[in-house]
Amino acid sequence: KYQMKAGLRYEYTDNAGDFASGTVKVKNSYHNLFPSFVIATIFDNYSNLKLSYSKRLQRPGLYNLDPFEDARDPNNISKGNPYLSPELSQTVDFAYGKFAEKKSYNVSLYYKYTDKVMQQITNVDSGVFITTFENIGNNDNIGLNIYGQVEWWDSLTIRGSGNVYYLDQRGINPNTNELLSNSDIPFIDHIQYNIYGSAELKLGKGFSAWLFGNFNSRELTLQGKVPSFTFMGVGLMKEIWKKKGTIGIQIYNPFNEY
């Protein structure tokens, strides 16, 4: 059995800002078309094979756009860029998935091209380091993503995922016209990954406990690397109001020292 779906979406974005503390006025608008399609083969054993294409947009957040200068350290100034454009990515994905009552998994091989990549960039002016955000270039990702979920005894659900990919980046520093690239670094430095796992246990009478953990490898940028990091949490929840609400306690990164 074969299935095919295709779509086209149009979006218009209008950003405007007027800052009371100065004369800066911002006007930034853009139009975008987003095509997509999926071709799938459905098998009798609750599994499927899919080939898909999609185009997506990642808008800058308020933190990225805010031009206010953080000058608490006069030698290291940071600020946003109100004229940022959104990132535009195109992805081709080839995936196999299987779904059953108690377990499911999905394996996908993908290629992703991103244009107008937003990154922090630092320039030096008269001995002062100035950090802001720029649409600095583009990158290519080729990766493998694996996701799985299994349920035991109708009370325990375990989920896990892993993503490993090769990243290559190119760009130009708009302030200095310096050509930036990481194509000449060792192959292993292009490999990045993240791992996620979680477990939820139903304890009865509306109580449940959960925990999760996430690890991200160091992130490659056009000016260096962002260190790896780990994030984890545990919690205890109780359903109230006939399952219309929950209350609970949650603890994040309990083993970190600050």
Side-chain angles (χ1 to χ4, degrees):
K1 182 179 177 180
Y2 293 91
Q3 293 182 348
M4 182 170 134
K5 295 181 181 180
L8 181 65
R9 189 176 80 255
Y10 166 79
E11 287 190 9
Y12 170 72
T13 302
D14 185 21
N15 290 327
D18 187 358
F19 300 92
S21 59
T23 58
V24 178
K25 291 187 178 182
V26 177
K27 180 72 173 177
N28 187 14
S29 60
Y30 40 87
H31 306 257
N32 297 99
L33 283 173
F34 300 98
S36 63
F37 75 82
V38 178
I39 301 173
T41 301
I42 311 299
F43 301 107
D44 293 335
N45 61 348
Y46 301 101
S47 63
N48 61 72
L49 197 63
K50 293 182 179 180
L51 175 65
S52 64
Y53 165 83
S54 63
K55 184 177 181 180
R56 299 181 182 275
L57 174 148
Q58 178 65 48
R59 296 182 181 87
L62 289 177
Y63 174 72
N64 309 115
L65 296 169
D66 188 355
F68 174 78
E69 292 188 357
D70 183 352
R72 287 174 291 182
D73 180 350
N75 294 315
N76 293 277
I77 297 174
S78 61
K79 60 181 179 178
N81 178 1
Y83 299 102
L84 282 174
S85 297
E87 291 183 349
L88 294 171
S89 63
Q90 301 181 73
T91 304
V92 177
D93 187 277
F94 185 64
Y96 175 79
K98 186 169 184 178
F99 306 91
E101 184 179 356
K102 296 290 185 179
K103 61 183 178 180
S104 61
Y105 63 87
N106 188 79
V107 180
S108 66
L109 182 67
Y110 64 88
Y111 167 75
K112 180 179 180 181
Y113 172 78
T114 305
D115 194 19
K116 300 181 179 179
V117 172
M118 289 181 287
Q119 282 191 8
Q120 277 191 319
I121 187 167
T122 300
N123 295 288
V124 182
D125 184 6
S126 300
V128 177
F129 292 85
I130 302 175
T131 301
T132 187
F133 295 90
E134 297 284 356
N135 295 107
I136 201 170
N138 53 63
N139 62 36
D140 294 281
N141 288 8
I142 300 175
L144 177 69
N145 183 275
I146 300 174
Y147 170 83
Q149 173 179 312
V150 62
E151 297 182 19
W152 280 304
W153 313 301
D154 297 322
S155 58
L156 177 63
T157 302
I158 296 177
R159 301 178 181 90
S161 66
N163 181 40
V164 59
Y165 58 95
Y166 175 91
L167 174 65
D168 189 34
Q169 300 178 314
R170 302 157 298 281
I172 295 177
N173 185 333
N175 298 301
T176 64
N177 291 322
E178 175 192 4
L179 181 64
L180 303 172
S181 174
N182 53 33
S183 299
D184 58 349
I185 68 174
F187 176 84
I188 192 64
D189 287 339
H190 288 269
I191 305 299
Q192 301 181 72
Y193 60 93
N194 53 72
I195 303 170
Y196 173 84
S198 70
E200 181 180 0
L201 179 63
K202 296 178 181 178
L203 303 173
K205 297 184 178 180
F207 285 94
S208 63
W210 58 265
L211 64 86
F212 77 90
N214 183 72
F215 175 79
N216 280 45
S217 68
R218 85 286 179 268
E219 180 182 348
L220 192 67
T221 74
L222 283 170
Q223 285 194 318
K225 298 176 183 177
V226 177
S228 62
F229 70 90
T230 302
F231 190 82
M232 67 174 300
V234 296
L236 180 66
M237 309 294 289
K238 172 69 170 71
E239 295 176 338
I240 58 175
W241 300 329
K242 297 181 179 180
K243 299 184 178 182
K244 295 180 180 179
T246 59
I247 58 173
I249 182 171
Q250 303 173 7
I251 302 173
Y252 296 102
N253 292 328
F255 305 110
N256 283 20
E257 296 183 0
Y258 299 95

